[in-house]
């Protein structure tokens, strides 16, 4: 992982804060095109188009659209079949009743080619338009991911590119504001890439041109058909969901576990990273720590939901993980990669083995688990913290530090102690937890914030169950409050689809993985806070919102309008609402957070 220097961090922070302050009002500085058109009427318009496709005669316009018939707002219709975009039509500068009849006529004319069970219709209604700088950094930073579309004049015609196309073609997050900085830091949109995409859209619509002029931003109401062919509102890349209930949470966990089971290959390794919208494998170097974390999640879900098939999946993955173990110091075992044993990687391996033991009572991995325990215990410092790296030729590296590693070690040893009733592991874990809940954050800045500490909360909950020290609960409760503050509440963001997600500003779309890990910590904060009589009601409220956010990010049968092979994707969690990759670690953290806390939130 590349860690930027202090000066670079300062530049990035200043840019983000200044951009957020300057651009916060921009999405609202727009001129409405149909101010009184309701969300319900927009959904009804898509329903009319479906009826016009399946009925013998062209139906009359629904009564609830009669009052909107004279509105002149641009309509963009996308026709999906088998997950591929088969048609795009645009009608503008016509009364809405005429525009819908024109689109209905185009559908009916192509019925022979388009008919089939996988046909899905999408309708974008342009509700407001606004000026945008015609180039440079301000243009690139003027777009809220997934929320703002762009239009431009091509060959005398204004062509509209809906947010769906930004997402489908991965156009968001394509501008690099700091040349020479880490290339992974990208925001906004790149004007050249967007212009080329508009030219392509224009060509699809029959307008030929070589340049795009008079760029504008626009906001749209977007509806798409679900698997039941009912119109559903699309918010960024996620369909609007009904309020979440207890049964919905359990179904989401089961679907996520099913996705991981499908991702588990016969070799015991996972199909790691997949973009179902692009229908493309994302080739990354195989990540063994994430392999271990995913196997832990399978064992956890299998144990709580009593699914032997999922527990058996964890067994197959752990059998493969066991083959990656190598000799550590003094006869121990560790997860060796590129000549180095990292503490966190080995701790996640031990965590998965311990959870599997609790779920199955199977003793086949016992010897390996005890030897990994020995490696982790040998890495503890005198103050309770841990060294994070060991090499066969040079021994312990006393300088290198890795994120999360000590917290993962404490959690893994605590879980191992629970699985094997092992006093040695418990004593080492207690010493580590005493350090985390004491000196670790006992400094000036520690009074104002916490970092990424979800593993700390999991460790605190695990140790508190056997060693109920109040400082463990207070420490995790503080982390939970911190995550509550960092996560958008239902009424704390202008974008309802972002409610429950964790992000430093409304300008960035919340990340599913970050939200899921925050939810994991908040579950532990609620459990420990209740045990110590602390106020947990705000955290519970935020946890429910985060669960709703996570379910919006999960692929269901209704989200598959743009997915060519739905069976591969259902149950997975998008990286975000604007990034359609599914990584197994995001799935792992999401279902782990939900399955541990779904009985805490009082949902029916």
């Amino acid at each position: 992982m590349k860690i930027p220097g202090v000066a670079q961090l300062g530049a990035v922070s200043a840019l983000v804060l200044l951009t957020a302050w300057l651009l916060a009002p921009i999405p609202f500085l727009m001129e409405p095109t149909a101010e009184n058109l309701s969300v319900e009427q927009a959904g009804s318009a898509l329903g009319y188009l479906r009826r016009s496709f399946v009925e013998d005669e062209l139906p009359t316009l629904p009564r609830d659209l009669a009052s909107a018939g004279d509105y002149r707002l641009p309509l963009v219709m996308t026709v999906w079949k088998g997950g591929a975009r088969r048609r795009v039509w645009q009608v503008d500068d016509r009364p809405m009743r005429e525009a819908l009849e024109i689109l209905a006529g185009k559908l009916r004319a192509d019925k022979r080619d388009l008919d089939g069970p996988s046909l899905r219709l999408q309708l974008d209604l342009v509700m407001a338009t606004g000026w945008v700088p015609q180039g440079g950094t301000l243009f690139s930073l003027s777009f809220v991911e997934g929320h703002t579309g762009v239009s431009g004049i091509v060959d005398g015609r204004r062509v509209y590119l809906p947010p769906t196309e930004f997402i489908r073609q991965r156009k968001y997050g394509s501008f690099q504001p700091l040349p020479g900085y880490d290339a992974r830091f990208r925001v906004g949109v790149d004007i050249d890439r967007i212009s080329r995409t508009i030219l392509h859209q224009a060509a699809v619509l029959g307008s030929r041109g070589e340049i795009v002029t008079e760029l504008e931003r626009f906001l749209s109401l977007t509806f798409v058909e679900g698997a039941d062919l009912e119109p559903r509102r699309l918010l960024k890349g996620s369909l609007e969901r009904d309020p979440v209930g207890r049964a919905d949470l359990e179904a989401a966990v089961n679907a996520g576990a099913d996705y991981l089971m499908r991702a588990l290959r016969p070799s015991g390794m996972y199909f790691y990273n997949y973009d179902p919208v692009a229908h493309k494998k994302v080739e990354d170097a195989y990540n063994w720590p994430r392999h271990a974390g995913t196997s832990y999640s399978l064992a956890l879900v299998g144990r709580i939901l009593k699914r032997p098939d999922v527990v058996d999946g964890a067994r197959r993955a752990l059998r493969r993980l066991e083959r990656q173990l190598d000799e550590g110091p003094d006869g121990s075992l560790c997860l060796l990669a590129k000549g180095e044993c990292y503490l966190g990687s080995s701790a996640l391996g031990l965590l998965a083995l311990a959870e599997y033991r609790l779920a199955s009572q199977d003793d086949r991995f016992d010897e390996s688990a005890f030897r990994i325990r020995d490696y982790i215990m040998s890495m503890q410092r005198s103050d309770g913290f841990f060294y994070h790296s060991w090499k066969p030729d040079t021994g312990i590296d006393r300088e290198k530090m890795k994120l999360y590693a000590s917290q993962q070690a404490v959690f893994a040893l605590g879980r191992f102690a629970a699985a094997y009733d092992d006093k040695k592991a418990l004593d080492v874990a207690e010493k580590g937890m005493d350090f985390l809940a004491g000196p670790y954050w006992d400094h000036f800045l520690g009074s104002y914030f916490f970092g990424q500490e979800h593993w700390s909360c999991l460790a605190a909950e695990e140790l508190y169950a056997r060693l109920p020290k109040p400082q463990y609960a207070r420490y995790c409760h503080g982390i939970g409050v911190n995550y509550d503050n960092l996560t958008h509440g239902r009424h704390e963001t202008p974008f309802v689809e972002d409610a429950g997600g964790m992000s430093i500003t409304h300008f960035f779309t919340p990340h599913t993985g970050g939200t899921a890990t925050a939810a994991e910590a908040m579950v532990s904060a609620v459990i420990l806070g209740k045990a110590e009589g602390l106020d947990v009601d705000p955290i519970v409220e935020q946890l429910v919102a985060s669960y709703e956010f996570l379910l919006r990010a999960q692929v269901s049968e209704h989200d598959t309008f743009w997915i060519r092979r739905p069976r591969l994707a259902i149950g997975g969690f998008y990286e975000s609402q604007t990034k359609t990759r599914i990584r197994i670690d995001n799935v792992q953290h999401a279902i782990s957070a939900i399955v541990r806390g779904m009985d805490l939130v009082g949902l029916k």
Side-chain angles (χ1 to χ4, degrees):
M1 180 180 64
K2 182 176 178 180
I3 304 295
V6 172
Q8 291 172 308
L9 280 175
V12 173
S13 300
L15 175 71
V16 168
L17 293 174
L18 179 62
T19 299
W21 181 71
L22 288 174
L23 300 181
I26 282 182
F28 309 104
L29 300 178
M30 296 213 180
E31 181 179 352
T33 56
E35 195 166 3
N36 295 320
L37 184 72
S38 69
V39 173
E40 293 75 18
Q41 287 174 317
S44 180
L46 182 58
Y48 165 78
L49 291 171
R50 167 56 73 169
R51 289 194 302 277
S52 72
F53 183 75
V54 298
E55 294 179 7
D56 293 334
E57 301 292 333
L58 186 68
T60 58
L61 202 66
R63 182 177 300 177
D64 62 342
L65 284 177
S67 62
D70 293 329
Y71 290 151
R72 289 178 176 265
L73 71 162
L75 303 181
V76 180
M77 185 175 183
T78 305
V79 181
W80 305 91
K81 186 176 181 182
R85 193 174 76 150
R86 295 292 300 273
R87 298 285 190 279
V88 179
W89 295 307
Q90 176 184 309
V91 181
D92 51 343
D93 200 28
R94 295 289 186 93
M96 189 171 176
R97 62 169 57 87
E98 291 183 22
L100 288 173
E101 289 176 357
I102 291 172
L103 291 175
K106 291 179 179 294
L107 266 176
R108 294 170 69 85
D110 276 6
K111 186 170 184 176
R112 182 186 296 269
D113 184 45
L114 296 177
D115 202 7
S118 64
L119 179 72
R120 299 290 182 271
L121 306 180
Q122 175 184 326
L123 184 64
D124 284 86
L125 300 93
V126 177
M127 301 298 294
T129 62
W131 172 85
V132 66
Q134 298 301 293
T137 300
L138 285 179
F139 169 86
S140 299
L141 298 179
S142 295
F143 294 84
V144 178
E145 284 191 350
H147 193 72
T148 317
V150 64
S151 69
I153 301 293
V154 179
D155 193 27
R157 181 185 188 184
R158 181 161 293 280
V159 175
Y160 293 85
L161 188 69
T164 308
E165 280 305 292
F166 280 71
I167 296 170
R168 188 176 76 96
Q169 300 187 41
R170 299 185 67 82
K171 300 299 184 185
Y172 290 118
S174 59
F175 175 68
Q176 186 175 342
L178 297 176
Y181 185 68
D182 188 336
R184 290 173 296 179
F185 182 74
R186 293 177 179 271
V187 296
V189 298
D190 181 87
I191 189 169
D192 293 331
R193 294 177 67 183
I194 287 298
S195 295
R196 289 195 296 270
T197 306
I198 292 176
L199 288 173
H200 176 74
Q201 182 90 338
V204 171
L205 295 171
S207 296
R208 302 291 176 178
E210 296 181 357
I211 61 171
V212 182
T213 61
E214 299 182 34
L215 293 167
E216 290 183 350
R217 293 175 299 113
F218 70 87
L219 299 178
S220 63
L221 269 176
T222 304
F223 275 81
V224 69
E225 293 179 324
D228 55 5
L229 303 184
E230 289 297 316
R232 296 168 184 268
R233 189 177 178 187
L234 190 64
L235 299 166
K236 296 186 178 177
S238 299
L239 290 179
E240 191 171 34
R241 300 301 207 268
D242 294 328
V244 171
R246 170 61 172 73
D248 300 311
L249 295 178
E250 185 168 339
V253 174
N254 277 312
D258 290 341
Y259 177 87
L260 293 179
M261 291 291 287
R262 293 195 302 273
L264 183 60
R265 299 167 176 170
S267 66
M269 297 170 69
Y270 293 97
F271 183 72
Y272 175 65
N273 200 341
Y274 174 55
D275 187 336
V277 174
H279 187 44
K280 183 173 68 174
K281 297 179 182 178
V282 182
E283 297 297 335
D284 289 325
Y286 199 75
N287 190 300
W288 286 103
R290 288 170 179 164
H291 177 108
T294 301
S295 304
Y296 155 73
S297 183
L298 284 178
L300 175 72
V301 169
R303 177 178 61 81
I304 293 177
L305 296 187
K306 296 179 172 54
R307 286 192 55 178
D309 62 319
V310 174
V311 175
D312 187 64
R315 176 192 61 79
R316 289 187 282 129
L318 290 173
R319 186 173 60 187
R320 180 63 184 86
L321 177 73
E322 195 175 38
R323 290 164 49 192
Q324 293 299 122
L325 299 175
D326 213 320
E327 292 289 329
D330 302 322
S332 65
L333 284 177
C334 59
L335 193 59
L336 189 69
K338 298 181 180 179
E340 193 165 4
C341 275
Y342 288 119
L343 177 77
S345 305
S346 299
L348 287 174
L350 181 63
L351 176 65
L353 292 171
E355 191 63 47
Y356 173 75
R357 186 68 159 84
L358 287 165
S360 67
Q361 305 305 311
D362 182 358
D363 63 1
R364 73 182 64 205
F365 299 118
D366 285 4
E367 181 182 351
S368 295
F370 273 90
R371 292 176 68 186
I372 300 174
R373 176 210 65 173
D374 292 343
Y375 166 72
I376 294 173
M377 292 196 304
S378 74
M379 299 292 284
Q380 190 169 46
R381 304 186 327 198
S382 60
D383 61 1
F385 210 55
F386 291 81
Y387 297 111
H388 292 176
S389 175
W390 174 88
K391 294 181 180 179
D393 53 346
T394 59
I396 293 176
D397 187 331
R398 299 178 185 275
E399 300 297 328
K400 183 177 289 186
M401 292 283 107
K402 302 285 285 185
L403 285 174
Y404 319 130
S406 291
Q407 294 89 334
Q408 290 166 339
V410 174
F411 183 31
L413 289 173
R415 205 73 185 127
F416 178 90
Y420 293 96
D421 195 23
D422 185 76
K423 178 106 173 25
K424 288 183 180 179
L426 185 63
D427 289 344
V428 174
E430 179 185 12
K431 186 176 180 181
M433 195 67 238
D434 286 345
F435 181 84
L436 291 174
Y440 182 58
W441 281 101
D442 188 12
H443 53 79
F444 171 71
L445 292 177
S447 301
Y448 298 96
F449 75 98
F450 286 97
Q452 290 287 320
E453 292 291 332
H454 57 282
W455 290 111
S456 297
C457 258
L458 291 166
E461 180 192 343
E462 186 63 42
L463 269 293
Y464 187 91
R466 295 169 68 101
L467 303 166
K469 296 185 178 183
Q471 63 265 35
Y472 296 172
R474 290 196 297 269
Y475 172 49
C476 180
H477 182 263
I479 293 170
V481 170
N482 179 65
Y483 278 129
D484 177 18
N485 293 332
L486 289 176
T487 308
H488 299 316
R490 287 192 179 89
H491 307 294
E492 296 173 355
T493 172
F495 310 119
V496 295
E497 63 271 25
D498 289 351
M502 189 177 74
S503 180
I504 59 174
T505 170
H506 305 303
F507 184 61
F508 295 142
T509 296
H511 191 278
T512 302
T515 302
T517 55
E520 286 184 286
M522 286 191 282
V523 169
S524 295
V526 171
I527 292 171
L528 297 181
K530 284 184 175 181
E532 288 292 320
L534 303 174
D535 181 16
V536 298
D537 289 346
I539 303 176
V540 171
E541 181 179 352
Q542 188 59 59
L543 185 60
V544 173
S546 292
Y547 283 166
E548 292 172 345
F549 175 87
L550 291 174
L551 264 61
R552 288 195 296 273
Q554 187 176 38
V555 181
S556 74
E557 62 177 349
H558 298 301
D559 301 85
T560 57
F561 61 95
W562 56 0
I563 295 176
R564 298 185 185 183
R565 298 188 65 185
R567 197 187 75 83
L568 295 181
I570 289 175
F573 290 78
Y574 287 141
E575 189 174 337
S576 77
Q577 296 172 55
T578 60
K579 294 180 174 61
T580 56
R581 292 181 180 180
I582 300 175
R583 288 183 0 189
I584 58 171
D585 55 324
N586 290 335
V587 180
Q588 168 227 321
H589 285 297
I591 64 175
S592 295
I594 296 170
V595 79
R596 290 177 51 249
M598 61 188 181
D599 290 327
L600 298 175
V601 294
L603 295 173
K604 295 181 180 179

